[in-house]
Short mmCIF file of all heavy atoms in Angstrom, two decimals:
data_model
loop_
_atom_site.label_atom_id
_atom_site.label_comp_id
_atom_site.label_asym_id
_atom_site.label_seq_id
_atom_site.Cartn_x
_atom_site.Cartn_y
_atom_site.Cartn_z
N ILE A 132 -6.73 16.94 15.04
CA ILE A 132 -5.34 16.70 15.43
C ILE A 132 -4.55 16.13 14.25
O ILE A 132 -3.43 16.54 13.96
CB ILE A 132 -5.27 15.73 16.63
CG1 ILE A 132 -5.86 16.41 17.88
CG2 ILE A 132 -3.85 15.29 16.89
CD1 ILE A 132 -5.98 15.49 19.07
N ARG A 136 -1.29 18.49 11.78
CA ARG A 136 0.14 18.23 11.80
C ARG A 136 0.83 19.07 10.74
O ARG A 136 0.30 19.29 9.66
CB ARG A 136 0.44 16.75 11.57
CG ARG A 136 0.07 15.85 12.73
CD ARG A 136 0.89 14.59 12.71
NE ARG A 136 2.31 14.85 12.83
CZ ARG A 136 2.95 15.02 13.99
NH1 ARG A 136 2.26 14.97 15.12
NH2 ARG A 136 4.22 15.27 14.02
N PHE A 143 7.20 22.46 18.20
CA PHE A 143 6.04 22.42 19.09
C PHE A 143 5.25 21.12 18.96
O PHE A 143 4.18 20.98 19.53
CB PHE A 143 5.11 23.61 18.80
CG PHE A 143 5.77 24.93 18.97
CD1 PHE A 143 6.01 25.75 17.88
CD2 PHE A 143 6.19 25.36 20.22
CE1 PHE A 143 6.63 26.98 18.03
CE2 PHE A 143 6.80 26.58 20.39
CZ PHE A 143 7.04 27.40 19.29
N GLN A 144 5.76 20.18 18.17
CA GLN A 144 5.07 18.91 17.97
C GLN A 144 6.02 17.77 18.24
O GLN A 144 7.23 17.86 17.99
CB GLN A 144 4.54 18.80 16.54
CG GLN A 144 3.42 19.78 16.22
CD GLN A 144 2.88 19.56 14.81
OE1 GLN A 144 3.58 19.12 13.93
NE2 GLN A 144 1.62 19.86 14.63
N GLY A 145 5.47 16.66 18.72
CA GLY A 145 6.27 15.46 18.88
C GLY A 145 6.33 14.68 17.59
O GLY A 145 5.76 15.05 16.58
N GLY A 146 7.03 13.59 17.61
CA GLY A 146 7.21 12.77 16.41
C GLY A 146 5.94 12.04 16.03
O GLY A 146 5.14 11.64 16.88
N ALA A 147 5.74 11.83 14.73
CA ALA A 147 4.58 11.06 14.26
C ALA A 147 4.72 9.61 14.70
O ALA A 147 5.80 9.03 14.67
CB ALA A 147 4.48 11.16 12.73
N GLY A 148 3.61 9.02 15.09
CA GLY A 148 3.63 7.63 15.50
C GLY A 148 4.08 7.39 16.92
O GLY A 148 4.13 6.27 17.38
N GLN A 149 4.42 8.46 17.68
CA GLN A 149 4.84 8.32 19.07
C GLN A 149 3.74 8.87 19.99
O GLN A 149 2.81 9.53 19.53
CB GLN A 149 6.15 9.07 19.30
CG GLN A 149 7.28 8.59 18.40
CD GLN A 149 8.54 9.39 18.58
OE1 GLN A 149 8.66 10.14 19.53
NE2 GLN A 149 9.48 9.22 17.67
N GLY A 150 3.85 8.58 21.26
CA GLY A 150 2.82 8.98 22.19
C GLY A 150 2.77 10.48 22.38
O GLY A 150 3.75 11.19 22.21
N GLY A 151 1.60 10.97 22.79
CA GLY A 151 1.46 12.40 23.05
C GLY A 151 0.14 12.93 22.54
O GLY A 151 -0.49 12.34 21.68
N THR A 152 -0.26 14.09 23.08
CA THR A 152 -1.56 14.66 22.69
C THR A 152 -1.52 15.26 21.30
O THR A 152 -2.56 15.66 20.78
CB THR A 152 -1.97 15.75 23.69
OG1 THR A 152 -0.93 16.75 23.76
CG2 THR A 152 -2.18 15.16 25.07
N HIS A 153 -0.34 15.36 20.69
CA HIS A 153 -0.23 15.90 19.34
C HIS A 153 -0.58 14.85 18.29
O HIS A 153 -0.62 15.16 17.10
CB HIS A 153 1.19 16.39 19.11
CG HIS A 153 2.23 15.36 19.43
ND1 HIS A 153 2.69 15.18 20.72
CD2 HIS A 153 2.85 14.44 18.67
CE1 HIS A 153 3.58 14.20 20.71
NE2 HIS A 153 3.70 13.73 19.49
N ASN A 154 -0.81 13.62 18.70
CA ASN A 154 -1.17 12.56 17.79
C ASN A 154 -2.57 12.03 18.14
O ASN A 154 -2.93 11.94 19.32
CB ASN A 154 -0.18 11.39 17.85
CG ASN A 154 1.15 11.73 17.22
OD1 ASN A 154 1.19 12.24 16.11
ND2 ASN A 154 2.24 11.47 17.93
N PRO A 155 -3.37 11.66 17.15
CA PRO A 155 -4.69 11.10 17.43
C PRO A 155 -4.57 9.77 18.15
O PRO A 155 -3.68 8.96 17.85
CB PRO A 155 -5.32 10.94 16.05
CG PRO A 155 -4.17 10.91 15.10
CD PRO A 155 -3.11 11.77 15.71
N VAL A 156 -5.45 9.53 19.11
CA VAL A 156 -5.39 8.31 19.89
C VAL A 156 -6.45 7.30 19.46
O VAL A 156 -6.40 6.14 19.89
CB VAL A 156 -5.57 8.61 21.40
CG1 VAL A 156 -4.43 9.48 21.91
CG2 VAL A 156 -6.90 9.29 21.66
N MET A 167 2.10 5.20 6.68
CA MET A 167 2.95 4.59 7.69
C MET A 167 2.91 3.08 7.58
O MET A 167 1.85 2.46 7.53
CB MET A 167 2.48 5.03 9.09
CG MET A 167 3.30 4.44 10.22
SD MET A 167 4.89 5.21 10.40
CE MET A 167 4.43 6.80 11.08
N ASP A 262 9.78 14.01 9.51
CA ASP A 262 9.42 14.23 10.91
C ASP A 262 9.86 13.06 11.77
O ASP A 262 10.29 13.24 12.91
CB ASP A 262 7.91 14.45 11.01
CG ASP A 262 7.50 14.95 12.39
OD1 ASP A 262 8.07 15.95 12.84
OD2 ASP A 262 6.62 14.32 13.01
N LYS A 266 12.88 13.12 14.90
CA LYS A 266 12.69 12.65 16.27
C LYS A 266 13.58 11.47 16.62
O LYS A 266 13.41 10.84 17.66
CB LYS A 266 11.21 12.25 16.49
CG LYS A 266 10.24 13.37 16.18
CD LYS A 266 10.58 14.66 16.90
CE LYS A 266 9.67 15.79 16.48
NZ LYS A 266 10.06 17.06 17.11
N ARG A 268 14.55 8.55 14.58
CA ARG A 268 14.40 7.21 14.01
C ARG A 268 14.59 7.29 12.50
O ARG A 268 14.20 8.25 11.87
CB ARG A 268 13.03 6.61 14.34
CG ARG A 268 12.74 6.56 15.83
CD ARG A 268 11.50 5.75 16.11
NE ARG A 268 11.68 4.35 15.77
CZ ARG A 268 10.75 3.42 15.96
NH1 ARG A 268 9.57 3.76 16.47
NH2 ARG A 268 10.96 2.18 15.64
#
Side-chain angles (χ1 to χ4, degrees):
I132 293 173
R136 289 204 61 84
F143 301 112
Q144 292 184 331
Q149 302 177 13
T152 56
H153 53 275
N154 288 311
V156 297
M167 179 75 72
D262 191 53
K266 304 308 175 184
R268 304 190 66 178

